[in-house]
Amino acid sequence: KAGVTQTPRYLIKTRGQQVTLSCSPISGHRSVSWYQQTPGQGLQFLFEYFSETQRNKGNFPGRFSGRQFSNSRSEMNVSTLELGDSALYLCASSLGGWPILNTEAFFGQGTRLTVV
Amino acid sequence: KQEVTQIPAALSVPEGENLVLNCSFTDSAIYNLQWFRQDPGKGLTSLLLIQSSQREQTSGRLNASLDKSSGRSTLYIAASQPGDSATYLCAAAGGTSYGKLTFGQGTILTVHP
């Protein structure tokens, strides 16, 4: 079956602009989480959605937001882009659900965002 | 707050060697620990998932162990091959942090012919 699909794969944006990234989870997976990966900070958690509800959020400014649709697809948005937002943005999907927390996370190939 | 540490940061070995990558975590109240592989510029590939009730998991040449009481996990790679060269990451999931994985900084593995 198809894996996690992220679009676009690459983006170049200018400071001050906004950007929307998309993630389609594995069919049947209801949890989608987002991570930012940079050489200096490694992988950092942004937020997690399950059944269209944000259940958890990392320590990122309000410029970072997300949402999940009824088909479990998710988008994240970054407004007023800064140079430091340049990173690889990864999304992961899992079955999710409570109290099933022992589910395996599967990652997409990521979106490489470059802010100039 | 969960913190995950991986040692060594980098490892270079000749082909055929058996090797061990280490991962430690500060909060033992984890639900599972997952090992990933990442090739340059690519996403993460799941290698093994160890649930909190398990002590180890095996897949082919890979074996991962988990000791919650000591806050440690190890990934054992048998008979390493050049194709194993990649960054290996461990990630802990726990508590009420739904969907949140706390990652280590990774071990960069190079297997030379």
Side-chain angles (χ1 to χ4, degrees), chain A residues 30 50 55 95-103, chain B residues 31 95-98:
Chain A
R30 296 166 67 188
F50 178 80
R55 296 193 298 186
L95 287 170
W98 172 261
I100 303 172
L101 295 174
N102 291 338
T103 55
Chain B
Y31 280 91
T96 56
S97 294
Y98 304 113

Side-chain angles (χ1 to χ4, degrees), chain A residues 28-99:
Chain A
H29 286 192
R30 296 166 67 188
S31 170
V32 174
S33 52
W34 290 88
Y35 295 82
Q36 180 195 66
Q37 187 177 31
T38 59
Q41 298 297 317
L43 277 149
Q44 293 188 290
F45 173 77
L46 283 156
F47 28 66
E48 188 261 359
Y49 288 87
F50 178 80
S51 292
E52 302 180 67
T53 300
Q54 185 182 89
R55 296 193 298 186
N56 202 356
K57 188 177 189 304
N59 295 323
F60 279 82
R63 300 185 297 106
F64 292 81
S65 62
R67 58 178 175 169
Q68 187 180 35
F69 303 95
S70 58
N71 62 358
S72 294
R73 189 178 70 84
S74 177
E75 289 181 346
M76 68 164 280
N77 183 274
V78 188
S79 62
T80 319
L81 283 166
E82 300 177 359
L83 295 178
D85 297 333
S86 295
L88 181 65
Y89 289 87
L90 294 161
C91 86
S93 82
S94 67
L95 287 170
W98 172 261

Side-chain angles (χ1 to χ4, degrees), chain A residues 1-13:
Chain A
K1 59 183 176 182
V4 179
T5 303
Q6 290 189 246
T7 57
R9 291 293 312 279
Y10 303 94
L11 268 176
I12 301 176
K13 290 287 188 179

Side-chain angles (χ1 to χ4, degrees), chain B residues 1 8 11-12 20 28 35 37-38 44 46 49 61-62 65 68 81-82 84 100 113:
Chain B
K1 175 187 172 185
L11 185 62
S12 180
V20 175
S28 62
W35 283 91
R37 165 190 175 136
Q38 185 175 33
L44 277 62
S46 177
L49 170 74
R61 295 183 294 109
L62 306 179
S65 66
K68 281 181 59 178
Q81 303 170 357
D84 294 332
K100 177 182 178 180

Side-chain angles (χ1 to χ4, degrees), chain B residues 19-83:
Chain B
L19 54 99
V20 175
L21 307 182
N22 297 290
C23 171
S24 62
F25 46 94
T26 55
D27 185 351
S28 62
I30 63 170
Y31 280 91
N32 64 56
L33 189 134
Q34 200 166 348
W35 283 91
F36 296 91
R37 165 190 175 136
Q38 185 175 33
D39 293 291
K42 300 292 181 65
L44 277 62
T45 300
S46 177
L47 297 173
L48 289 165
L49 170 74
I50 312 176
Q51 298 183 6
S52 60
S53 58
Q54 299 175 317
R55 294 300 300 269
E56 65 178 86
Q57 279 282 9
T58 298
S59 176
R61 295 183 294 109
L62 306 179
N63 176 275
S65 66
L66 175 64
D67 184 342
K68 281 181 59 178
S69 61
S70 67
R72 293 179 183 177
S73 177
T74 60
L75 179 66
Y76 175 83
I77 303 177
S80 58
Q81 303 170 357

